Amino acid sequence: MVVVMHPGATPADVEAVVARVERAGGSAFISRGVHRTIVGLVGDVIAFQGLNLRAMPGVVDVVRVSKPYKLVSREHHPDASVVTVGERGDVHIGPDTFVLIAGPCAVETAEQTFAAADMAVAAGATVLRGGAYKPRTSPYAFQGLGEKGLEILAEARERTGLPVVTEVVDPKDVEVVAHYADMLQIGTRNMQNFPLLQAVGAVRKPVMLKRGLTATYEEWLMAAEYIAQRGNLDIVLCERGIRTFETAIRNTLDVSAVPMVHALSHLPVVVDPSHSAGNRQLVVPLARAAIAAGADAVMVDVHADPTAALCDGPQALYGSELDELARACRDLPPIVRRTPG
Ligand code: PEP
Ligand code: MN
């Protein structure tokens, strides 16, 4: 069971809950987030139900959940959540809309980023992606521009009006990334970097949590729970392909994740066909499959000159493929009762 405290609850309110639980023979674990405090209860659920915790001062909700992930589960929150991105508050990732997120894999230069941002706008994207801190397999590969890259992204936002999502790889950079970005991305390699998850759980910006390369739905949702447990429930999940026995493609897009995770959790689900496939020829067909399966958003890599890209050039879309993608993002969402934009 989980006791969710009101943002204005006092320390005495929290202590009173803990004391009542302990008197009933249970243990209580307090998690003090920036926005709210959450008290996790361990012990006899039947005994806790008799404690009338919901009526105590400062208590908003008492959640009994059979799943190991609680705050992010559908059981706890039957309605699908809507995550709003950007200061203008006009991008909604949730059950009624369909959002296209596009941009370069990595921020390389201002000119390259602005050119990719223009391509994103032309395709109908309403969120700009781009990595400034790149988690590369090889230590010799381009690692990203760091804070300089964040500045370029902020400039691209000024020019286009699109809010920005960018990856953070180290807990010590969360503050600076949250300063510049509208949404923080946790990459597949960091899905179980628990200190990083806790750090983004403490900021007031939405988080996009990518699925680990070999993560089950439960492990993925437990990772999301780490963020939620710190008080940040503005989380979108991103399916980006998993490691399978197939070698013809870089990763296998798990389309089942979209309806299945929607059933297990109230959080929106985004699909990244670019990192799934690693090959631009597959990106548009996989994006179509994602939309048809009910994805709340699709995120793709674009580059004005993929042959010169410092990161993931083979999956970056050319203009003609982008036109195809734009068509799919306009035509398919209404079939699954979503409004593009
Ligand atoms: C990315 O989106 O830039 C990225 C590195 O993706 P992933 O973590 O899915 O590999
Ligand atoms: Mn990439």
Side-chain angles (χ1 to χ4, degrees), residues 104-106 129-131 134-135 167 185-190 210-211 238 240 250-251 272 275-276 299 301 311-312 315:
C105 173
R129 65 147 289 146
K134 294 303 300 176
E167 180 163 354
Q185 178 175 321
I186 302 292
T188 193
R189 294 158 189 81
N190 274 315
K210 289 192 142 193
R211 181 181 182 185
C238 179
R240 49 78 70 211
R250 189 163 75 181
N251 296 291
D272 176 346
H275 288 85
S276 302
M299 180 163 85
D301 283 9
C311 185
D312 285 346
Q315 73 198 29

Side-chain angles (χ1 to χ4, degrees), residues 104-148:
C105 173
V107 174
E108 301 167 12
T109 64
E111 294 66 35
Q112 166 261 0
T113 303
F114 300 159
D118 290 344
M119 290 172 78
V121 170
T126 50
V127 179
L128 177 66
R129 65 147 289 146
Y133 297 87
K134 294 303 300 176
R136 304 306 297 279
T137 302
S138 165
Y140 306 114
F142 175 59
Q143 304 285 312
L145 298 182
E147 189 168 354
K148 174 76 194 143

